[in-house]
Structure formats: C-alpha cells, structure tokens
Amino acid sequence: MTGLIGMEGGATISFAPELPSPPQPPRVRTIDSTSMPLYPFTSVDAAIAAVEALDGELEKFELAVADSLQDYLGVQMAQITDSALARGWEPVSFLQKEGFRLYRYEAMRSYTRRGKRR
C-alpha cells in the first residue's frame, strides 16, 4: 500500500554553499520497495480536500497528518475522519512518526457503494 502524499507547498532555497543542507522530509517505503518523501498535511482543509479527491473505490489508504493538527480535544482530526467516514472509509490504526502521524483507513465492510452492500 502506498502512502498518500500531500504537497501543500513551500520551498527551501540556499544560495550559500557553506550553509548546511536543510533537513530532509521523512521517507516511506512503498510496495515496489522504493522510498519517496512524505509531506504530512499541516491544515485540516488540505487533508479533507485530499480525502475527498480520492477514488471512492479504494479499499485502503494512508494519510500523513502533522503533529500540529493533534489538538488535545481531537477536534481537527475529527473533522478529517468525518470526511473519510462520509466517503465510506474508517480509521483502523495510526503510526506515530517524527513530527506526524500516519493514519490508515480501510473501506467499511457494511458501507453501501453504488447500491451494493458489502
């Protein structure tokens, strides 16, 4: 299963060769054993837009969410999860990484898609 990658923008530019290189984003392994940078979502709106843009026939997906969205009441994650639930996916687990959580979602077993019950 590959990770969902959110590129919300931003750039790092250095014109001085003596400056140390900027920290690299965490890398995640994919099915084909290659690694790619993983950019966690830092805004609720961007994470919701990504969930809503996903193909409704997906069985599983992962969503990287920055620790800055982990408020003590869980309101921001509730908004993101609500959008996934509305599309027929439920959270099954998460992994805490350096600076973000990687949430895993799967299609609901009893969710009706196109008039068919699973």
Side-chain angles (χ1 to χ4, degrees):
M1 180 164 80
T2 60
L4 176 66
I5 299 177
M7 304 268 310
E8 292 186 9
T12 303
I13 301 171
S14 176
F15 294 103
E18 64 274 3
L19 294 176
S21 61
Q24 297 297 312
R27 297 178 101 50
V28 65
R29 291 260 177 220
T30 62
I31 293 173
D32 63 1
S33 298
T34 61
S35 61
M36 66 181 95
L38 185 62
Y39 297 93
F41 289 99
T42 57
S43 78
V44 173
D45 292 335
I48 290 172
V51 169
E52 290 175 351
L54 289 172
D55 180 0
E57 297 300 317
L58 282 177
E59 294 297 319
K60 300 177 186 180
F61 71 93
E62 294 177 340
L63 188 70
V65 179
D67 284 345
S68 62
L69 294 182
Q70 308 297 330
D71 60 282
Y72 74 97
L73 289 176
V75 172
Q76 296 182 101
M77 275 311 301
Q79 293 173 321
I80 296 167
T81 301
D82 187 51
S83 67
L85 291 169
R87 299 282 317 273
W89 298 301
E90 61 187 342
V92 292
S93 66
F94 74 88
L95 295 172
Q96 181 66 51
K97 302 285 189 173
E98 181 78 27
F100 67 97
R101 286 183 181 174
L102 187 62
Y103 288 89
R104 293 184 177 160
Y105 293 83
E106 290 183 359
M108 291 182 206
R109 293 179 194 188
S110 62
Y111 185 75
T112 304
R113 290 195 183 151
R114 297 185 185 168
K116 296 180 182 176
R117 190 155 181 98
R118 293 180 169 214

